[in-house]
Amino acid sequence: MGATRSYNSLTVFVLVLLFALNIANALSPPDAAKYPQELVTHGDVRIDNYYWLRDDTRTSPAVLSYLNAENDYAAAAMADTQALQEQLYEEMKARIQEADVSAATRDTGYYYYTRTEEGQQYKLHCRRPVPASAGIASESDAVDASLAEEVLLDENQRKAAGNFNFYMVGSVETSPNNKLLAWTEDTSGNEKYTLYVKELGGNKQVGMPIPMTSGDLVWASDNSHLLYTVKDELDRPHKVLLHAVGANKTDTVVFEEGDEAFYVSVGRSRSGDLIYIGSASAVTNETYWLPAHNPKAALTLIAPRQQDVEYNIHHHPGNMLDAAARAAQALEQQQQQQQQQQQPQGWVVVQHRDPARPNGELRLAPLHDPAQQQVLLPHQADVMIEGVSLGSRWLVVSLRARAQQSLVAYPLPGDGSMPTQLGSGQAISFDEAAFELSGALTGDFDSEVLRLSYSSPTTPRSIYDQHLPSGRRLLKKSLAVLGGFSREQYLTQRLWATAPDGVAVPISLVFKRDGVKLDGSDPMLLRGYGAYGYPYEADFSRDDLSLIDRGWVVAVAHIRGGGEMGRRWYEDGKYMHKRNSFTDFIACAEHLIKLRYTSPSRLSIEGRSAGGLLMGAVTNMRPDLFNAVIMGVPFVDVLTTMLDASIPLTMTEWEEWGDPRRPEYYHYMKSYSPVDNVVAQKYPNILVTAGLNDPRVGYWEPAKLVAKLRDMKTDSNLLLFQCGMGAGHFRVTGRFARLRETAFEYAFLLKTAGLL
């Protein structure tokens, strides 16, 4: 017995010692091994000590061990925030109305909507019939809850059945006769979607799943064919295929794009008559169409591609038959076996952009003679055309000027003929200092109801339906914010900073009226993006209330490279002007500090993907200006990635960043590439995230940045790296799982601000 007791005591001692060593290891930052790789371009030599961290197979034991060590260290370093993380998670979750229903959309005899259930992470896609007595669509349309609900797709069941760690739905489309459902889903985070078709009602799967698609799909009018896109080995959507539903035969290639800078897409006109096939690079595109009722027909090209010319088309059939009459006409044609000979008619609205008209203009052309274009809405130097929605009786144009959005609805000729000019139209806007607004005609092509989506930093997402002939507007849905939220307690402001070259840069911000001092002592989170012409909208965040209610100011810098101020705003922040994005952001930070909204010791910043590049660049340039930085899935190894055509999307990105095979681009990109500009200096507290399966930004880019920072920085501030080992570019997908991630990030901000 004594020997046994001695053995057990020794075992316990060893286990305790090992546990203590594990804790000690976890509390020590990982030290990535150095294996110098010489990279020579244009006679310039760069040494990359961490090139080995790239493993395209994601199976290298050494790489996975390092990533896991970083995850362990991040968890250990944040262990003192566990209670805070749980508190943040619970309060964010408590604001959610867990059992909720979206605003319904009326289409082809049904109301379509999504809903969520108590305790469930994912959506249910549902529909109910439109009552026979409903009449034509109006702003007062409402779902009749007494009619049976049909659940088309339950994402929770799909995820549970496959026991997936990651689950994201791409497209969900019912067939024109409402009898079949097609959808795509990604179960790994690599954005390669599997396409499924099933019968509605019986729920029986039709045919075999189609793996490795891009996620896009569109039904043909015959209900027996659909078109979808697939990716090549570099993750570029390059091919459109025609699938005979339920048939056991090889799918037909409808279109294949050979230029590796272009990617393909499919869509369908609101009129229902055309299927669109698009091929686009970052600044150039062309569009083909084919009759939706005859997907085997030859493609018709609207206009051939020209470098730096972009266009979109919107089809009008040119007659005023209502939806029921057009459906009857199509059925009659099918019964007479004339479908193959029938050709869509009418005209198209062309949204056109070229270097002489950077903000775009609207043109009209006959469908069968698209070269004969006439200008309907001319180019304006200070107003950008963002989008178009076309119905049988209305043309709705989305506009943007001085970082604010608006819409104008124009009536069309009553006989369906091509208009020769537009009147003044109905202008639709809102009067808050900063907001996000979008709108499109909803439902069938004949609908005269405009669906509006509005949000501001103080106004939860609100969905309105507006009846255009009468101007009547009705609130259909407002994002629920439980827990006593009142928008009157908060204030939205729009400020303007001055960039080094004298350009005025807009800033949107929000804070609680009685929660800040505005004396320089308030903590602030400043966000930015500034790439691809993508506008970083000033909208509402339910989660941000966990910071704002703790006395934080939350702001967005609308820097060049984004689309907030028109096309020129975008072009002045790309290629050889990219550094404008960084100096704009720094100018915004300095302006906010000057106005005493915050101070460097209280200022945190955040950006994701291309916004992560922004964070890396400004942190290298002005580390003294910030207390904490969050870089989400950041694109930070710019030069090495853009020089390697074997990395997915590299060639398509040359028209955004420049091609470093040309010396002038190489040296300019080297001047800001975050990995190439880490130096021995003090850095702020930094949190970096990545997804192992990310197809857009390889996990090794942030991993290399962190390893180099650990080796060179001269401070003792926190440097944490979290890599989702089963995630992609969008990290986690469940609505509650996302809250866990956000709680971790907010706890990092609060910890580094000394607010635990």
Side-chain angles (χ1 to χ4, degrees):
M1 292 293 292
T4 302
R5 283 195 299 272
S6 175
Y7 175 79
N8 287 338
S9 298
L10 179 62
T11 300
V12 170
F13 173 76
V14 170
L15 289 174
V16 169
L17 179 61
L18 289 173
F19 181 70
L21 289 173
N22 284 336
I23 292 177
N25 288 335
L27 288 174
S28 300
D31 184 15
K34 293 181 181 179
Y35 300 103
Q37 176 86 18
E38 186 176 272
L39 306 174
V40 183
T41 310
H42 307 304
D44 182 60
V45 179
R46 292 180 299 134
I47 303 298
D48 187 344
N49 290 319
Y50 307 104
Y51 195 88
W52 66 273
L53 285 170
R54 175 182 171 183
D55 171 33
D56 291 350
T57 69
R58 275 80 170 169
T59 60
S60 164
V63 170
L64 294 178
S65 176
Y66 170 72
L67 297 177
N68 283 320
E70 285 285 4
N71 285 337
D72 290 343
Y73 172 66
M78 292 288 288
D80 59 341
T81 71
Q82 280 296 328
L84 175 60
Q85 289 182 50
E86 192 63 27
Q87 179 185 351
L88 289 164
Y89 170 79
E90 291 296 339
E91 69 185 44
M92 288 187 288
K93 187 168 181 277
R95 295 191 194 102
I96 297 174
Q97 184 170 303
E98 293 192 27
D100 205 0
V101 183
S102 70
T105 298
R106 178 174 171 173
D107 193 27
T108 59
Y110 289 89
Y111 290 116
Y112 289 87
Y113 55 93
T114 61
R115 62 180 178 85
T116 52
E117 294 184 332
E118 192 85 18
Q120 295 295 316
Q121 297 238 48
Y122 297 87
K123 296 177 181 177
L124 289 81
H125 301 257
C126 309
R127 70 181 182 184
R128 294 181 194 264
V130 175
S133 59
I136 63 173
S138 75
E139 82 288 353
S140 59
D141 273 1
V143 175
D144 186 344
S146 69
L147 299 178
E149 177 186 74
E150 183 178 7
V151 176
L152 307 176
L153 180 68
D154 184 341
E155 296 182 13
N156 301 285
Q157 289 183 359
R158 294 291 302 175
K159 182 180 185 298
N163 194 29
F164 304 121
N165 291 323
F166 182 98
Y167 185 81
M168 179 180 288
V169 169
S171 300
V172 180
E173 299 289 343
T174 52
S175 60
N177 65 3
N178 294 310
K179 294 182 179 180
L180 298 171
L181 182 77
W183 77 97
T184 57
E185 58 186 40
D186 171 14
T187 57
S188 68
N190 64 4
E191 298 180 49
K192 293 180 174 67
Y193 294 81
T194 301
L195 191 157
Y196 298 87
V197 180
K198 71 174 182 178
E199 294 177 354
L200 292 174
N203 216 32
K204 177 184 176 183
Q205 183 172 305
V206 179
M208 297 297 294
I210 303 173
M212 307 298 284
T213 81
S214 307
D216 293 342
L217 68 92
V218 63
W219 282 97
S221 296
D222 64 5
N223 302 293
S224 60
H225 290 87
L226 56 79
L227 292 90
Y228 65 96
T229 58
V230 296
K231 294 183 176 182
D232 63 12
E233 65 278 3
L234 294 179
D235 271 341
R236 176 180 66 98
H238 74 124
K239 195 181 295 185
V240 178
L241 288 93
L242 178 66
H243 175 66
V245 177
N248 185 21
K249 62 179 183 180
T250 303
D251 294 342
T252 305
V253 176
V254 176
F255 180 81
E256 184 170 3
E257 177 55 70
D259 190 328
E260 293 180 321
F262 283 71
Y263 52 91
V264 301
S265 60
V266 292
R268 185 163 171 160
S269 65
R270 284 199 74 246
S271 68
D273 294 346
L274 308 184
I275 290 174
Y276 299 137
I277 294 177
S279 184
S281 71
V283 298
T284 305
N285 82 300
E286 64 185 4
T287 300
Y288 299 80
W289 66 267
L290 54 80
H293 68 263
N294 183 15
K296 297 180 181 180
L299 298 177
T300 299
L301 177 63
I302 291 292
R305 67 185 66 171
Q306 299 180 57
Q307 180 61 29
D308 206 14
V309 175
E310 297 175 292
Y311 67 90
N312 295 311
I313 67 167
H314 307 267
H315 174 245
H316 194 292
N319 61 62
M320 292 305 293
L321 294 175
D322 62 20
R326 277 202 298 275
Q329 183 186 66
L331 180 61
E332 181 181 355
Q333 291 169 352
Q334 189 175 28
Q335 290 171 342
Q336 295 173 357
Q337 297 183 346
Q338 294 176 348
Q339 288 272 30
Q340 299 298 322
Q341 289 73 41
Q342 291 292 326
Q343 284 292 318
Q345 301 300 316
W347 45 273
V348 291
V349 175
V350 182
Q351 181 183 343
H352 174 96
R353 182 207 64 80
D354 61 37
R357 289 161 283 261
N359 284 334
E361 67 182 16
L362 295 187
R363 301 173 175 182
L364 293 176
L367 176 62
H368 292 285
D369 192 7
Q372 299 303 312
Q373 297 183 9
Q374 61 185 33
V375 175
L376 183 65
L377 191 63
H379 174 264
Q380 300 179 72
D382 56 351
V383 180
M384 183 171 68
I385 298 174
E386 286 198 304
V388 169
S389 181
L390 181 64
S392 64
R393 296 172 177 84
W394 294 89
L395 170 66
V396 179
V397 184
S398 300
L399 305 171
R400 185 184 291 268
R402 284 188 61 79
Q404 297 284 45
Q405 295 166 285
S406 63
L407 297 102
V408 182
Y410 298 98
L412 297 174
D415 60 359
S417 61
M418 189 166 64
T420 57
Q421 62 182 10
L422 295 175
S424 58
Q426 297 182 30
I428 300 165
S429 187
F430 290 78
D431 60 2
E432 287 194 76
F435 58 84
E436 178 190 13
L437 173 66
S438 61
L441 293 160
T442 184
D444 298 325
F445 190 66
D446 302 295
S447 169
E448 297 189 273
V449 177
L450 176 64
R451 171 65 56 87
L452 299 171
S453 176
Y454 175 79
S455 174
S456 80
T458 56
T459 306
R461 176 76 53 196
S462 301
I463 306 299
Y464 297 90
D465 279 353
Q466 181 165 326
H467 183 245
L468 291 174
S470 66
R472 296 189 304 266
R473 184 187 296 176
L474 186 66
L475 178 65
K476 308 296 287 189
K477 175 71 179 178
S478 182
L479 176 72
V481 184
L482 306 184
F485 169 79
S486 173
R487 63 181 300 271
E488 288 74 20
Q489 297 178 353
Y490 303 86
L491 181 64
T492 296
Q493 292 183 339
R494 167 62 55 81
L495 306 176
W496 296 83
T498 302
D501 58 0
V503 170
V505 183
I507 306 168
S508 301
L509 55 85
V510 58
F511 53 83
K512 197 167 186 178
R513 292 177 185 270
D514 62 356
V516 296
K517 299 176 182 177
L518 302 184
D519 61 357
S521 66
D522 298 311
M524 171 181 279
L525 176 60
L526 177 64
R527 296 182 171 118
Y529 188 74
Y532 303 105
Y534 175 78
Y536 201 135
E537 306 292 9
D539 58 1
F540 183 81
S541 170
R542 189 164 47 190
D543 297 341
D544 279 352
L545 293 175
S546 288
L547 293 178
I548 297 169
D549 287 348
R550 285 177 167 82
W552 286 64
V553 180
V554 175
V556 175
H558 303 287
I559 59 178
R560 281 175 283 185
E564 292 92 336
M565 299 274 283
R567 179 76 184 190
R568 292 295 190 205
W569 195 252
Y570 163 49
E571 293 176 347
D572 285 346
K574 65 178 294 190
Y575 287 146
M576 302 293 283
H577 305 292
K578 186 62 207 171
R579 290 182 67 90
N580 284 339
S581 302
F582 315 138
T583 54
D584 282 1
F585 190 87
I586 290 170
C588 289
E590 291 176 330
H591 187 65
L592 291 163
I593 292 168
K594 179 181 178 181
L595 295 182
R596 297 174 64 81
Y597 281 91
T598 190
S599 59
S601 64
R602 309 292 275 167
L603 177 57
S604 300
I605 59 175
E606 178 188 19
R608 298 179 184 275
S609 195
L613 161 62
L614 169 69
M615 296 299 105
V618 301
T619 302
N620 280 330
M621 293 167 69
R622 287 295 306 276
D624 60 302
L625 204 54
F626 316 112
N627 177 63
V629 184
I630 296 178
M631 305 183 198
V633 291
F635 172 45
V636 286
D637 197 9
V638 179
L639 210 49
T640 302
T641 293
M642 289 293 97
L643 282 165
D644 190 343
S646 72
I647 295 177
L649 307 180
T650 289
M651 283 179 279
T652 63
E653 295 287 303
W654 283 338
E655 288 187 330
E656 176 68 24
W657 312 102
D659 183 353
R661 295 176 304 174
R662 295 169 55 182
E664 66 272 25
Y665 280 114
Y666 173 88
H667 292 291
Y668 186 78
M669 294 163 75
K670 185 182 179 183
S671 76
Y672 67 76
S673 175
V675 164
D676 293 292
N677 286 278
V678 173
V679 296
Q681 64 179 349
K682 293 181 179 180
Y683 279 88
N685 299 285
I686 299 173
L687 169 62
V688 183
T689 68
L692 183 65
N693 297 324
D694 190 341
R696 304 190 187 203
V697 178
Y699 72 87
W700 54 85
E701 292 198 35
K704 287 162 67 173
L705 176 69
V706 169
K708 191 170 184 179
L709 281 168
R710 287 209 193 287
D711 182 53
M712 300 192 70
K713 74 190 191 81
T714 60
D715 59 84
S716 59
N717 289 329
L718 274 182
L719 173 58
L720 306 181
F721 180 40
Q722 271 195 331
C723 184
M725 305 304 283
H729 196 66
F730 301 104
R731 302 276 283 162
V732 296
T733 54
R735 56 178 176 157
F736 303 137
R738 279 196 293 265
L739 294 184
R740 292 285 184 193
E741 197 171 78
T742 302
F744 183 92
E745 293 175 356
Y746 286 1
F748 169 80
L749 294 176
L750 291 164
K751 174 185 174 76
T752 54
L755 297 174
L756 287 184

